[in-house]
mmCIF file of all heavy atoms in Angstrom:
data_model
loop_
_atom_site.group_PDB
_atom_site.id
_atom_site.type_symbol
_atom_site.label_atom_id
_atom_site.label_comp_id
_atom_site.label_asym_id
_atom_site.label_seq_id
_atom_site.Cartn_x
_atom_site.Cartn_y
_atom_site.Cartn_z
ATOM 1 N N SER A 1 138.517 76.948 63.399
ATOM 2 C CA SER A 1 138.736 76.870 61.928
ATOM 3 C C SER A 1 139.162 78.170 61.347
ATOM 4 O O SER A 1 139.594 78.312 60.163
ATOM 5 C CB SER A 1 137.411 76.386 61.330
ATOM 6 O OG SER A 1 136.422 77.313 61.459
ATOM 7 N N SER A 2 139.127 79.299 62.175
ATOM 8 C CA SER A 2 139.424 80.514 61.731
ATOM 9 C C SER A 2 140.715 81.127 62.316
ATOM 10 O O SER A 2 141.058 82.391 62.063
ATOM 11 C CB SER A 2 138.302 81.534 62.092
ATOM 12 O OG SER A 2 137.025 81.139 61.423
ATOM 13 N N CYS A 3 141.375 80.245 62.973
ATOM 14 C CA CYS A 3 142.633 80.734 63.627
ATOM 15 C C CYS A 3 143.697 79.529 63.598
ATOM 16 O O CYS A 3 143.443 78.441 63.143
ATOM 17 C CB CYS A 3 142.420 81.199 65.022
ATOM 18 S SG CYS A 3 141.777 80.013 66.125
ATOM 19 N N ASN A 4 144.933 79.822 64.079
ATOM 20 C CA ASN A 4 145.966 78.764 64.046
ATOM 21 C C ASN A 4 145.961 78.071 65.279
ATOM 22 O O ASN A 4 146.491 76.946 65.250
ATOM 23 C CB ASN A 4 147.259 79.453 63.751
ATOM 24 C CG ASN A 4 147.404 80.325 62.483
ATOM 25 O OD1 ASN A 4 146.977 81.441 62.444
ATOM 26 N ND2 ASN A 4 147.793 79.566 61.378
ATOM 27 N N LYS A 5 145.564 78.626 66.363
ATOM 28 C CA LYS A 5 145.658 77.843 67.559
ATOM 29 C C LYS A 5 144.684 78.460 68.665
ATOM 30 O O LYS A 5 144.299 79.662 68.793
ATOM 31 C CB LYS A 5 147.129 78.187 68.179
ATOM 32 C CG LYS A 5 147.364 77.491 69.583
ATOM 33 C CD LYS A 5 148.761 77.733 69.995
ATOM 34 C CE LYS A 5 149.113 79.161 70.250
ATOM 35 N NZ LYS A 5 150.552 79.288 70.910
ATOM 36 N N THR A 6 144.014 77.462 69.457
ATOM 37 C CA THR A 6 143.211 77.844 70.639
ATOM 38 C C THR A 6 143.833 77.138 71.822
ATOM 39 O O THR A 6 144.266 76.039 71.675
ATOM 40 C CB THR A 6 141.692 77.580 70.473
ATOM 41 O OG1 THR A 6 141.691 76.143 70.226
ATOM 42 C CG2 THR A 6 141.073 78.190 69.188
ATOM 43 N N GLU A 7 143.841 77.825 72.865
ATOM 44 C CA GLU A 7 144.290 77.215 74.163
ATOM 45 C C GLU A 7 143.539 77.808 75.287
ATOM 46 O O GLU A 7 142.912 78.903 75.392
ATOM 47 C CB GLU A 7 145.743 77.495 74.367
ATOM 48 C CG GLU A 7 146.239 79.060 74.224
ATOM 49 C CD GLU A 7 147.619 79.236 74.055
ATOM 50 O OE1 GLU A 7 148.413 78.456 74.642
ATOM 51 O OE2 GLU A 7 148.008 80.144 73.277
ATOM 52 N N ILE A 8 143.470 77.023 76.394
ATOM 53 C CA ILE A 8 142.711 77.382 77.590
ATOM 54 C C ILE A 8 143.697 77.401 78.764
ATOM 55 O O ILE A 8 144.307 76.362 79.003
ATOM 56 C CB ILE A 8 141.529 76.557 77.840
ATOM 57 C CG1 ILE A 8 140.441 76.804 76.746
ATOM 58 C CG2 ILE A 8 140.812 76.889 79.239
ATOM 59 C CD1 ILE A 8 139.243 75.928 76.861
ATOM 60 N N GLU A 9 143.956 78.505 79.349
ATOM 61 C CA GLU A 9 144.931 78.549 80.466
ATOM 62 C C GLU A 9 144.094 78.840 81.828
ATOM 63 O O GLU A 9 143.089 79.562 81.875
ATOM 64 C CB GLU A 9 145.791 79.889 80.305
ATOM 65 C CG GLU A 9 146.714 79.714 79.106
ATOM 66 C CD GLU A 9 147.506 80.913 78.996
ATOM 67 O OE1 GLU A 9 147.378 81.943 79.696
ATOM 68 O OE2 GLU A 9 148.508 80.915 78.080
ATOM 69 N N SER A 10 144.581 78.071 82.855
ATOM 70 C CA SER A 10 143.860 78.215 84.171
ATOM 71 C C SER A 10 144.588 79.129 85.052
ATOM 72 O O SER A 10 145.789 79.536 84.882
ATOM 73 C CB SER A 10 143.815 76.763 84.803
ATOM 74 O OG SER A 10 145.062 76.354 85.114
ATOM 75 N N PHE A 11 143.801 79.708 86.025
ATOM 76 C CA PHE A 11 144.452 80.551 87.060
ATOM 77 C C PHE A 11 143.416 80.335 88.331
ATOM 78 O O PHE A 11 142.384 79.932 88.203
ATOM 79 C CB PHE A 11 144.560 81.970 86.649
ATOM 80 C CG PHE A 11 143.149 82.668 86.342
ATOM 81 C CD1 PHE A 11 142.483 83.358 87.284
ATOM 82 C CD2 PHE A 11 142.583 82.526 84.949
ATOM 83 C CE1 PHE A 11 141.372 83.932 86.958
ATOM 84 C CE2 PHE A 11 141.389 83.113 84.744
ATOM 85 C CZ PHE A 11 140.718 83.824 85.654
ATOM 86 N N THR A 12 143.994 80.712 89.428
ATOM 87 C CA THR A 12 143.203 80.587 90.629
ATOM 88 C C THR A 12 142.697 82.009 91.113
ATOM 89 O O THR A 12 143.360 83.060 90.725
ATOM 90 C CB THR A 12 144.083 80.086 91.932
ATOM 91 O OG1 THR A 12 145.215 80.905 92.027
ATOM 92 C CG2 THR A 12 144.483 78.650 91.466
ATOM 93 N N LEU A 13 141.629 82.030 91.728
ATOM 94 C CA LEU A 13 140.983 83.278 92.301
ATOM 95 C C LEU A 13 140.230 83.003 93.476
ATOM 96 O O LEU A 13 139.910 81.820 93.811
ATOM 97 C CB LEU A 13 140.152 83.999 91.201
ATOM 98 C CG LEU A 13 138.808 83.371 91.089
ATOM 99 C CD1 LEU A 13 137.843 84.635 90.411
ATOM 100 C CD2 LEU A 13 138.665 82.091 90.158
ATOM 101 N N HIS A 14 139.724 84.115 94.145
ATOM 102 C CA HIS A 14 138.876 83.960 95.322
ATOM 103 C C HIS A 14 137.639 84.810 94.832
ATOM 104 O O HIS A 14 137.633 86.018 95.200
ATOM 105 C CB HIS A 14 139.492 84.479 96.485
ATOM 106 C CG HIS A 14 140.823 83.755 96.888
ATOM 107 N ND1 HIS A 14 140.934 82.740 97.782
ATOM 108 C CD2 HIS A 14 142.034 83.995 96.203
ATOM 109 C CE1 HIS A 14 142.251 82.463 97.810
ATOM 110 N NE2 HIS A 14 142.930 83.152 96.995
ATOM 111 N N ARG A 15 136.638 84.293 94.212
ATOM 112 C CA ARG A 15 135.661 85.083 93.511
ATOM 113 C C ARG A 15 134.801 86.009 94.505
ATOM 114 O O ARG A 15 134.383 87.000 94.028
ATOM 115 C CB ARG A 15 134.782 84.215 92.624
ATOM 116 C CG ARG A 15 133.943 83.245 93.348
ATOM 117 C CD ARG A 15 132.955 82.508 92.457
ATOM 118 N NE ARG A 15 132.342 81.381 93.056
ATOM 119 C CZ ARG A 15 132.249 80.155 92.535
ATOM 120 N NH1 ARG A 15 132.906 79.905 91.429
ATOM 121 N NH2 ARG A 15 131.647 79.055 93.196
ATOM 122 N N GLN A 16 134.596 85.608 95.682
ATOM 123 C CA GLN A 16 133.672 86.415 96.554
ATOM 124 C C GLN A 16 134.556 87.620 97.238
ATOM 125 O O GLN A 16 133.986 88.352 98.003
ATOM 126 C CB GLN A 16 133.197 85.527 97.683
ATOM 127 C CG GLN A 16 132.175 84.506 97.023
ATOM 128 C CD GLN A 16 130.874 85.129 96.546
ATOM 129 O OE1 GLN A 16 130.889 86.367 96.322
ATOM 130 N NE2 GLN A 16 129.858 84.378 96.176
ATOM 131 N N GLY A 17 135.861 87.532 97.043
ATOM 132 C CA GLY A 17 136.711 88.614 97.574
ATOM 133 C C GLY A 17 136.334 89.993 97.150
ATOM 134 O O GLY A 17 136.406 91.002 97.821
ATOM 135 N N PHE A 18 136.004 90.151 95.787
ATOM 136 C CA PHE A 18 135.642 91.352 95.109
ATOM 137 C C PHE A 18 134.512 91.993 95.844
ATOM 138 O O PHE A 18 134.532 93.273 95.965
ATOM 139 C CB PHE A 18 135.334 91.062 93.595
ATOM 140 C CG PHE A 18 135.039 92.356 92.904
ATOM 141 C CD1 PHE A 18 135.884 93.384 92.809
ATOM 142 C CD2 PHE A 18 133.880 92.433 92.097
ATOM 143 C CE1 PHE A 18 135.629 94.501 92.202
ATOM 144 C CE2 PHE A 18 133.671 93.547 91.412
ATOM 145 C CZ PHE A 18 134.447 94.612 91.380
ATOM 146 N N MET A 19 133.359 91.283 96.157
ATOM 147 C CA MET A 19 132.335 91.959 96.769
ATOM 148 C C MET A 19 131.943 91.490 98.267
ATOM 149 O O MET A 19 131.008 91.907 98.920
ATOM 150 C CB MET A 19 130.963 91.746 95.861
ATOM 151 C CG MET A 19 131.104 92.151 94.426
ATOM 152 S SD MET A 19 130.916 94.003 94.344
ATOM 153 C CE MET A 19 129.165 94.201 94.302
ATOM 154 N N GLY A 20 132.789 90.629 98.584
ATOM 155 C CA GLY A 20 132.456 89.949 99.892
ATOM 156 C C GLY A 20 132.726 90.872 101.033
ATOM 157 O O GLY A 20 132.359 90.417 102.183
ATOM 158 N N PHE A 21 133.252 91.944 100.888
ATOM 159 C CA PHE A 21 133.498 92.964 101.986
ATOM 160 C C PHE A 21 132.274 93.765 102.327
ATOM 161 O O PHE A 21 132.222 94.376 103.441
ATOM 162 C CB PHE A 21 134.551 94.018 101.606
ATOM 163 C CG PHE A 21 133.885 94.881 100.381
ATOM 164 C CD1 PHE A 21 133.265 96.123 100.741
ATOM 165 C CD2 PHE A 21 134.225 94.671 99.043
ATOM 166 C CE1 PHE A 21 132.806 96.918 99.731
ATOM 167 C CE2 PHE A 21 133.654 95.434 98.162
ATOM 168 C CZ PHE A 21 132.894 96.543 98.458
ATOM 169 N N ILE A 22 131.145 93.535 101.577
ATOM 170 C CA ILE A 22 129.903 94.376 101.733
ATOM 171 C C ILE A 22 129.389 94.214 103.114
ATOM 172 O O ILE A 22 129.182 95.209 103.976
ATOM 173 C CB ILE A 22 128.931 94.187 100.619
ATOM 174 C CG1 ILE A 22 129.487 94.802 99.289
ATOM 175 C CG2 ILE A 22 127.582 94.851 101.029
ATOM 176 C CD1 ILE A 22 128.618 94.501 98.112
ATOM 177 N N PRO A 23 129.068 92.939 103.634
ATOM 178 C CA PRO A 23 128.484 92.846 104.913
ATOM 179 C C PRO A 23 129.409 93.384 106.081
ATOM 180 O O PRO A 23 128.966 94.134 106.989
ATOM 181 C CB PRO A 23 128.378 91.344 105.070
ATOM 182 C CG PRO A 23 128.278 90.776 103.788
ATOM 183 C CD PRO A 23 129.160 91.686 102.806
ATOM 184 N N PHE A 24 130.782 93.320 105.938
ATOM 185 C CA PHE A 24 131.673 93.830 106.921
ATOM 186 C C PHE A 24 131.641 95.289 106.857
ATOM 187 O O PHE A 24 131.539 95.875 107.992
ATOM 188 C CB PHE A 24 133.129 93.345 106.580
ATOM 189 C CG PHE A 24 134.182 94.087 107.349
ATOM 190 C CD1 PHE A 24 134.393 93.575 108.727
ATOM 191 C CD2 PHE A 24 134.943 95.027 106.791
ATOM 192 C CE1 PHE A 24 135.426 94.160 109.322
ATOM 193 C CE2 PHE A 24 135.995 95.623 107.470
ATOM 194 C CZ PHE A 24 136.168 95.339 108.860
ATOM 195 N N THR A 25 131.679 95.907 105.824
ATOM 196 C CA THR A 25 131.591 97.409 105.579
ATOM 197 C C THR A 25 130.245 97.987 106.094
ATOM 198 O O THR A 25 130.244 98.990 106.840
ATOM 199 C CB THR A 25 131.783 97.767 104.243
ATOM 200 O OG1 THR A 25 133.080 97.454 103.745
ATOM 201 C CG2 THR A 25 131.710 99.388 104.045
ATOM 202 N N VAL A 26 129.145 97.268 105.958
ATOM 203 C CA VAL A 26 127.879 97.678 106.363
ATOM 204 C C VAL A 26 127.906 97.593 107.999
ATOM 205 O O VAL A 26 127.481 98.595 108.630
ATOM 206 C CB VAL A 26 126.692 96.860 105.812
ATOM 207 C CG1 VAL A 26 125.470 97.101 106.644
ATOM 208 C CG2 VAL A 26 126.609 97.122 104.293
ATOM 209 N N VAL A 27 128.346 96.550 108.450
ATOM 210 C CA VAL A 27 128.487 96.406 109.979
ATOM 211 C C VAL A 27 129.242 97.520 110.649
ATOM 212 O O VAL A 27 128.885 97.990 111.668
ATOM 213 C CB VAL A 27 128.977 95.000 110.260
ATOM 214 C CG1 VAL A 27 129.283 94.997 111.843
ATOM 215 C CG2 VAL A 27 127.918 93.865 109.978
ATOM 216 N N CYS A 28 130.337 97.793 109.928
ATOM 217 C CA CYS A 28 131.204 98.906 110.434
ATOM 218 C C CYS A 28 130.559 100.150 110.400
ATOM 219 O O CYS A 28 130.713 101.006 111.471
ATOM 220 C CB CYS A 28 132.516 99.045 109.580
ATOM 221 S SG CYS A 28 133.696 97.665 109.810
#
């Protein structure tokens, strides 16, 4: 009610990529 337009845009991601390296780095 306070703006002219609202919209929701989708995108794809791989959410565990950001921190998923931790076990690999620790093993290394």
Side-chain angles (χ1 to χ4, degrees):
S1 62
S2 301
C3 63
N4 299 90
K5 179 174 66 173
T6 62
E7 52 194 323
I8 294 179
E9 297 179 349
S10 64
F11 62 94
T12 58
L13 81 154
H14 309 258
R15 64 177 168 230
Q16 294 294 6
F18 181 52
M19 301 285 275
F21 69 87
I22 291 177
F24 171 76
T25 296
V26 169
V27 169
C28 286

